Amino acid sequence: MLELFEDELVRQLRPEDACACGQPVTHLREELLRMAQATEWDTVDAGYFEGHVYEIEWLHTPAVPVARICLAALADDIAPPARDAFVDLLCTIVAATTTSIRVGGRRDLVDECEAIIRPGTWLFYAEILSGRHKRTAVLCFEILQELNEDVERLRAVYRIAHRSLRTTSFWVEGLQRESLE
């Protein structure tokens, strides 16, 4: 279990790359691994990555490899609390795309992260339709909306999603229900 994820940790977080906090980016490995191994809801928090991967409205360079790692985690067999934390982190990365910044005049981290996350859209649809956890499904739906996914497909997913998701007030408030019906 987690072999693909652990391999991606090593491949993506290289010692020669710096974290926004000034340390080598490899220091994020331990926290990402702890998050992937989480089985209890109160033991995991994606908020740790603020100041390392993102700030409120912008991304730091580690966002690019961390986005890849998050998708690898979702492709693996991880517990619902861990899934939720990785989806939460991806949602934060995607939400940061509202402010595009250039790093050293050469890189657009917003575009890079979107290009990494976009091929994972079917993982988000699968999570919504699984009915595993309401909050995780809502976050997946928000990611899909941020990526400007096909509105007709989003409507269909909303229509056929697990009944408990359609009747949850958080689901309705968080997803602009009127735009989907």
Side-chain angles (χ1 to χ4, degrees):
M1 190 169 137
L2 297 178
E3 287 181 56
L4 175 64
F5 172 79
E6 289 177 3
D7 182 63
E8 205 63 19
L9 277 178
V10 173
R11 290 185 44 197
Q12 296 299 325
L13 299 176
R14 300 178 308 246
E16 63 270 16
D17 296 332
C19 183
C21 70
Q23 295 182 49
V25 77
T26 52
H27 83 93
L28 298 175
R29 288 179 186 168
E30 185 178 323
E31 187 62 24
L32 287 162
L33 182 58
R34 188 185 72 71
M35 203 160 82
Q37 294 170 335
T39 57
E40 300 295 324
W41 291 98
D42 60 350
T43 63
V44 63
D45 178 18
Y48 168 86
F49 299 97
E50 185 170 4
H52 302 279
V53 174
Y54 64 89
E55 296 298 333
I56 294 171
E57 293 185 13
W58 67 87
L59 301 175
H60 295 297
T61 53
V64 173
V66 168
R68 289 186 181 107
I69 292 165
C70 289
L71 289 174
L74 294 176
D76 219 322
D77 184 25
I78 57 176
R83 297 187 80 70
D84 186 74
F86 281 104
V87 169
D88 190 9
L89 185 51
L90 282 170
C91 193
T92 302
I93 290 170
V94 168
T97 64
T98 57
T99 305
S100 179
I101 63 169
R102 293 227 174 252
V103 178
R106 296 181 306 276
R107 294 178 69 187
D108 186 329
L109 298 177
V110 169
D111 287 347
E112 285 184 51
C113 286
E114 280 188 10
I116 290 163
I117 295 168
R118 189 169 302 285
T121 56
W122 290 106
L123 290 171
F124 305 126
Y125 285 116
E127 191 65 39
I128 292 167
L129 296 172
S130 74
R132 277 188 283 250
H133 193 264
K134 293 176 190 178
R135 180 180 183 277
T136 309
V138 169
L139 292 172
C140 285
F141 209 102
E142 288 177 3
I143 290 170
L144 293 168
Q145 286 182 315
E146 287 289 333
L147 293 174
N148 295 314
E149 266 298 289
D150 180 287
V151 175
E152 290 306 314
R153 184 177 300 124
L154 289 172
R155 283 186 180 125
V157 169
Y158 179 79
R159 187 181 68 251
I160 63 177
H162 193 272
R163 181 180 272 322
S164 67
L165 297 177
R166 291 195 311 267
T167 59
T168 302
S169 61
F170 178 58
W171 177 264
V172 173
E173 292 169 2
L175 297 176
Q176 303 161 9
R177 182 178 179 170
E178 62 280 356
S179 69
L180 296 171
E181 294 179 335

